[in-house]
Amino acid sequence: MESLAKRRHDQASSREEDGFGVQPRRVANLAMVPNLRQSSTSLCRSRRPQCLFSSCEKQENLSSWIPDNIKKKECIYFVESSKLSDAGKVVCECGYPREKHLEEATWPHTFQGQEWDPKKHVREMPTDAFGDIVFMGLGQKAGKYVRLSQDTPSSLIYQLMTQQWGLDAPNLLISVTGGAKDFNMKPRLKSVFRRGLLKVAQTSGAWVITGGSHTGVMKQVGEAVRQLSGSFCEREVVTIGIATWGALHNRESLIHPMGGFPAEYIMDEGGQGNLTCLDSNHSHFILVDDGTHGRYGVEIPLRTNLEKFISQQTKERGGVAIKIPIVCVVLEGGPGTLNTIYNAITNGTPCVVVEGSGRVADVIAQVAGLPISEITISLIQQKLSMFFQGMFETFTESKIVEWTKKIQDIVRRRQLLTVFREGKDGQQDVDVAILQALLKASRSLNHFGHENWDHQLKLAVAWNRVDIAQSEIFTDERQWKPSELYPMMVAALITNKPEFVKLFLENGVQLKEFVSQTTLFYLYQNLEPTCLFHYKLDKVLAGEPERLDPSVLLQHVAQVLRELLGDSTQPLYSRPHSSNRQRLLPVPSVKISVRRVSRQSLYKRSSGQATFTIDPVRDLLIWAIVQNRRELAEIIWAQSQDCIAAALACSKILKGLSKEEEDTDSLEEMLALADEYEQRAIGVFTECYRKDEERAQKLLVRVSEAWGRTTCLQLALEAKDMKFVSHGGVQAYLTEVWWGQLGVDNGLWRVVLCMLFFPLLYAGLVSFRNRRQQVEGGLARVRAFFSAPVVVFHVNILSYFAFLCLFAYVLMVDFQPQPSGCECLIYLWLFSLVCEELRQLFYDPDGSGLRKAVLVYFSDFWNKLDVCAILLFIAGLTCRLVPSLLYTGRIILSLDFTMFCLRLMHIFTISKTLGPKIIIVKRMMKDVFFFLFLLAVWVVSFGVAKQAILIHNERRVEWIFRGAIYHSYLTIFGQLPTYIDGVNFRPDQCSPNGTDPYKPKCPEIDQARQEPVFPEWLTVLLLCLYLLFANILLLNLLIAMFNYTFQQVQERTDQIWKFQRHDLIEEYQGRPPAPPPFILLSHLHLFIKRVVLKIPAKRHKQFKNKLEKNEEAALLSWEIYLKENYLQEQQLQQKQRPEQKIQDVSDKVDTMVRLLETAGLKQSGAVEQRLASLEEQMAQTATALHWIVKALRDSGFGSEEGVPTLAPQKASVGRDPELDSGSKAEDPGDAYHVNARHLLYPSCSVLRFPVPNEKVPWEMEFLVYNPPFYTADRKDKDLVDPVGDALEPLSRISYNVVDGPLDRRSFHGVYAVRDGLPLNPMGRTGLRGRGDLSYFGPNHTLQPVLTRWRRSLDGAICRKNVKKMLEVLVVKRGPSEHWMLPGGSREPGEMLPRKLKQVLRREFWSSFESLLTQGMEVYKGYMDDPRNTDNAWIETVAVSIHFPDQSDVELKRLNSHLHSCDEGMAIRWQVVDERISLCDNHKVILQKVAALFGAYY
């Protein structure tokens, strides 16, 4: 990596590139999953549509927080510069004129005689530029901006963005870099880039970071955002521009010490000169200030550190934590962009290079598919001359060498480099290329198999890109176990990603195995904070302790659900036992951390743990429904077993929540979803009814244990799902219940005849459904007939009519001072009715309790009417028995008779003809009440005005009411007031003083002439207006309301009637057969049965039937089968819809257009590939001929004169690096050392001289080769060679021999010595000296490879792909990410390496030396180590020590003597795998050992 100074220099000279952050090395957890437990007030606030704070309060917070924490930089010492400003003014070395400095900066004595130094003469001060930015004349939405110091910590900037600006932590960080000057792109490539970049940013919740100016690649990103903002988008794209404050044009308009809300910024590209303008399409700006003016590249270090810090954060949601990934997207660019790409690749950050954008991007794209050996200096020079035509002359030879070396290193790590070629190799979208680049990079991480795949799946879920998961992750290459998908399943559920839930179900996840008590507890802890169910549950949890047991929480969930489902259901989750309440789960009060509640506990169930729930699918369905998640609930419902009951329960829950929902949009969504689930229940029931009517009817009344021991029919009634209840199958079942054991084809006249003369039953006038009853006679037939609800109903009708007739007779004919016999019979009759009402009141077959029974009874309007009629009758009877109140009692009883007559409306609701009309009348009564309110306004206004004009001081209340209200009301019906116009005035018909109680008071009159004096014209005018509005307007309004109600109700009258029909059928199905007053005998029998004998009530099996387990399982299996048929039919209907067909045709047309547009590109690409293949074959042929000619010449055949001259081999270009998906990190043709030529030397800031592959051998001429000299200072100077910067001390060293205790011989033979320094036998490295090594020449090391077989718990050797698996002993020191073999350098005369001695006890050293002598040498030679230099290198001997038997004595001794003398040293046995986190050179040794034993690698 380059030093910071060099990077600044490159950026300042280039002014063309954006900075880029490197891949993180550590993880910081800043985001946690929100917990359920919040205060009620905060939860209420979260449900409000308004923000928590008003905009003014937010501005005040920013105005106080930012100046306290964010600083700017100011020059405090004015030193006149030799250069003038663009306006010809004298400026300081910082670039600002004198008037832009502080007063103290111009004092001559402050820093007298000092040179201007930014470290001393620039200081930090509170920033004066922040707030909202609005671009004048563009109408863009206001963005955020802040001016800050270049030394601002990244953590503080991140806090500003996430907490003060309110940005959500990103799922992905996209850093767009490239040319900072305007460049041309092909229109189609520009469109594809814009569309793809914004698609990945929008779908994955990414932040896009650019340079923020209105030029180059930043302008391309901004225009893409503007194009998106013009169309509908679900999520705003966060585009963050990080620019240099001192290079910004018109920045004075952004300076507001207390914050600009908003600050108005003007884009003036014409007058910007050497400065730049901000891009108006970015949403946030970070303006980096170093106290200077006109200097570019100031923001690069801060941007790099900020991107690195963000990529180190961990975003956690849904129980899954994932480190924020980062990707670099490259368009065009110059030298600085190449440095950015190189630094990103070196630090493991994936890069996407867009071919066709120009310059650097095209150079890399052209050579990306070539072997490293073919990427030569001449080829890079050719590409530079092609793509850098304007500035190619400025490239020196050393610069071209540097470019070649960097491009070779970039291409060498192909797993991190993705080239997007629009229209080639099936690539169409940039977003797919970006996400594939990240997945490809994750595959190269040093994770073991399942960890690597798990990481890729986390990325796909975080991005919400199920298409990427399907194409890249769920392939034949990887077979997923269901348990491995459980954590992602939890995350997909909580984050509401239904497509992923569906994908996981398709790949083996079984909901019954997935859902455990802990999982469900965790899901309810992470309910959507804004949902209504969260608010209701929080109120219930208000009194619970902080440390909550899962079963206790689920008990409260069941309590809230019972409120929504109705009290007819039992609690879905049982109350926990006392023994279980003590085992509390540690749940913090504010948030849940996955480190406290392990993700494994969410989806692992102990072998002895019993299932806590009847139906796990039901639990997930409820969890999704209460949050109104349509797609998620649809997927889960498709997996449900008791699907009809589940659909009806969902409908009931949603309708229950909608009653309390305040938000109109949410309410409409809930009602629409409730109707949708009702339609699904109807659809599945229709399929069942078509197949088997009897089984379908069993489903209606089957007791569902999963849904609180209720039935489908009861759920539909509770939810008022009229469409379902009015279904033909449901009505057919109700009809069967209505007719009891009688056949439904019996005519009503036959039933009435048999009721009046029951001996006709034996004549076969009526038929029975049961053949035995049809054949048999006797009392059984009579009992079956009179117990049928239809017969009970008609018998009660006759009884009720008899009661009304007798009641009317007594009131009109036989009402004596002393009650007569008929009147006493009425009292007895009424007493039987009271007993029947009491029976209905206390009827509780479900055991819900007296309170619930009373509530259910009074929830029926007709029951309320019955109670009122009975109480009124009792009041009338009481008055009637008092002689002085006899007449009053008769009046009350007369009114009571009216109420008893109204009860007939309920009786006639069973009629198919009268029932719907009665429903319409009930609805119209509501309209009448609203109409009366409007009418009262006009009646009172006209009546009071008329009375006040005509009559003076009427004091009789009854006559005031008559004049103001009664007469005005009668006027509507044509009865005009008598004295309204004075024509019909007669003094003898009125009382002048109002003293006659039987005459109205006379109007205002002239006593002399006895004529009215009131203004007749006014009263007539008022009358006309009153009649106009009342008779014409209001009455027609009433007619219109009646007509609307009729039209509205008429469409659903049949449904409403069928729905209400059930209540009447159920009432008479459970009613005693005998009519009043004979029903008293049944009540006496019931009293003895319930009170005396204590026999509990039981619901009739026709409305609630509990089946045997085997029968119920068979019935549910049949229901599931037909549900699948229904879903398939729905999918088929969806495909047959005209809208879907049009969409399919549109997709096909788009595909054809895309294929036609790319056909030419593909053909040209195919031709290029064929030409490249032909060139490669010709080159191979020329090489073979060259070898033949040379061999013949060396053998003495031919002469030098006739030797043909062969043309140099040309490199083929244009190959895609992804054509060879199995290529390794190191190219097969890369025969030279690679790690020893990394530009940045480890543990220091020294940069090597770039050495391309072709210049590695010493034999190759390399005139510009001028490597730096570096030798690290060592504390143990007596044990190492001299520094080497002087030849005198080195003259005592003898090379290629044993030099005292040191063996300076090389395993590769004699090495050359030049100028007193040995030369690396493998070639140039770009650095002279001995670097960080101890000796010049070879530094010998020993690498013992200790292995054993990996075994399972039963002792069997584990295998993978048929091969046995090894374990190797590895060590790790300190915070290093890589493990290493326990070897290394040895002290002179010692046999064991220093590192091995640190992990072995001293008493075992001698034993281990004997093991080394018995071991097998697997490698001896040069090690490609990053510490190697031109004059010092590492050579090693690798010895394999294998323990084949787990009971080996030496292995046991070894394990017992392993220890770490250093606290920072870690030791462990590690599984041997190609993705083992091991140093690269050690991996090569380990691979040889695995091959030696035929083991898996």
Side-chain angles (χ1 to χ4, degrees), residues 829-953:
W829 212 313
L830 185 71
F831 179 71
S832 66
L833 293 177
V834 172
C835 292
E836 175 58 23
E837 293 301 324
L838 290 174
R839 185 196 65 81
Q840 295 180 20
L841 176 64
F842 295 107
Y843 180 65
D844 184 23
D846 297 324
S848 302
L850 178 61
R851 181 175 177 272
K852 173 59 182 175
V854 172
L855 291 176
V856 171
Y857 176 83
F858 283 103
S859 64
D860 188 359
F861 169 78
W862 299 110
N863 288 337
K864 297 176 184 177
L865 184 64
D866 290 340
V867 172
C868 292
I870 292 171
L871 293 177
L872 192 60
F873 188 92
I874 294 173
L877 177 60
T878 303
C879 295
R880 186 253 181 279
L881 295 177
V882 179
S884 60
L885 300 175
L886 179 64
Y887 182 65
T888 304
R890 192 177 72 178
I891 293 174
I892 295 175
L893 291 175
S894 300
L895 297 176
D896 191 41
F897 178 80
T898 305
M899 299 187 69
F900 277 112
C901 289
L902 290 176
R903 190 67 170 77
L904 288 173
M905 294 181 65
H906 175 56
I907 296 175
F908 289 122
T909 53
I910 195 64
S911 172
K912 192 171 185 178
T913 304
L914 295 178
K917 302 302 183 290
I918 293 173
I919 294 169
I920 294 176
V921 171
K922 287 173 61 179
R923 295 296 178 91
M924 287 183 174
M925 290 296 293
K926 296 180 180 179
D927 295 337
V928 169
F929 284 116
F930 287 110
F931 170 78
L932 289 178
F933 171 76
L934 296 175
L935 182 63
V937 175
W938 290 97
V939 168
V940 172
S941 61
F942 171 73
V944 171
K946 176 186 72 69
Q947 182 76 4
I949 293 172
L950 295 179
I951 309 298
H952 178 67
N953 292 341

Side-chain angles (χ1 to χ4, degrees), residues 754-824:
C754 291
M755 285 167 48
L756 298 176
F757 190 64
F758 70 88
L760 292 176
L761 291 172
Y762 300 100
L765 187 61
V766 294
S767 61
F768 293 85
R769 281 187 292 171
N770 194 338
R771 291 186 178 182
R772 293 178 57 187
Q773 291 177 344
Q774 186 71 28
V775 175
E776 296 177 357
L779 190 59
R781 180 179 291 191
V782 176
R783 185 185 297 112
F785 176 78
F786 282 100
S787 62
V790 62
V791 176
V792 175
F793 172 74
H794 285 94
V795 170
N796 277 271
I797 285 180
L798 295 177
S799 172
Y800 198 73
F801 271 109
F803 168 73
L804 291 178
C805 292
L806 185 61
F807 197 0
Y809 171 77
V810 170
L811 289 174
M812 294 186 297
V813 178
D814 193 19
F815 197 83
Q816 303 298 333
Q818 296 296 327
S820 62
C822 292
E823 190 173 352
C824 291

Side-chain angles (χ1 to χ4, degrees), residues 248-348:
L248 186 61
H249 183 54
N250 286 337
R251 58 181 178 269
E252 293 80 9
S253 60
L254 301 179
I255 298 178
H256 296 275
M258 298 306 295
F261 300 102
E264 297 177 349
Y265 182 79
I266 300 176
M267 291 179 56
D268 182 17
E269 296 184 82
Q272 67 183 10
N274 294 326
L275 304 179
T276 59
C277 293
L278 294 177
D279 184 75
S280 60
N281 299 299
H282 284 63
S283 60
H284 299 78
F285 294 95
I286 297 175
L287 308 177
V288 186
D289 185 17
D290 69 339
T292 64
H293 166 78
R295 298 183 184 181
Y296 285 88
V298 172
E299 82 283 359
I300 299 302
L302 183 138
R303 176 177 172 178
T304 301
N305 295 331
L306 178 62
E307 290 173 348
K308 179 179 180 180
F309 177 83
I310 295 175
S311 63
Q312 289 173 343
Q313 308 311 306
T314 298
K315 183 170 184 179
E316 181 181 335
R317 194 178 179 193
V320 175
I322 182 171
K323 190 163 58 176
I324 299 175
I326 182 172
V327 64
C328 175
V329 180
V330 182
L331 271 78
E332 212 244 4
T337 301
L338 180 66
N339 295 334
T340 301
I341 301 172
Y342 178 80
N343 292 333
I345 294 289
T346 302
N347 290 280

Side-chain angles (χ1 to χ4, degrees), residues 176-202:
V176 184
T177 186
K181 294 182 179 179
D182 291 334
F183 56 91
N184 296 322
M185 288 178 65
K186 297 178 181 179
R188 177 170 177 80
L189 179 61
K190 183 186 297 184
S191 175
V192 170
F193 168 74
R194 292 178 179 179
R195 182 179 66 248
L197 178 66
L198 293 182
K199 183 179 179 181
V200 69
Q202 213 175 6

Side-chain angles (χ1 to χ4, degrees), residues 36-37 524-525 534-545 548 552-554 556-557 560:
L36 172 68
R37 185 175 297 279
Y524 275 107
Q525 284 283 341
H534 186 289
Y535 170 69
K536 293 173 68 67
L537 185 57
D538 186 74
K539 288 200 302 183
V540 176
L541 290 173
E544 289 294 334
L548 194 62
V552 176
L553 172 65
L554 296 180
H556 291 303
V557 171
V560 179

Side-chain angles (χ1 to χ4, degrees), residues 1-3 6-14 17-20 22 177 300 304 328 330 333-347 351 360 364 399 402-403 406-407 410 1239 1247:
M1 183 185 293
E2 298 180 356
S3 64
K6 181 173 175 59
R7 290 196 62 188
R8 287 183 178 177
H9 173 74
D10 291 338
Q11 296 298 332
S13 61
S14 169
E17 290 75 34
D18 300 320
F20 186 73
V22 297
T177 186
I300 299 302
T304 301
C328 175
V330 182
T337 301
L338 180 66
N339 295 334
T340 301
I341 301 172
Y342 178 80
N343 292 333
I345 294 289
T346 302
N347 290 280
C351 293
V360 165
I364 295 176
K399 198 68 173 178
E402 179 185 352
W403 275 59
K406 290 184 176 179
I407 292 176
I410 292 171
L1239 292 183
L1247 291 176

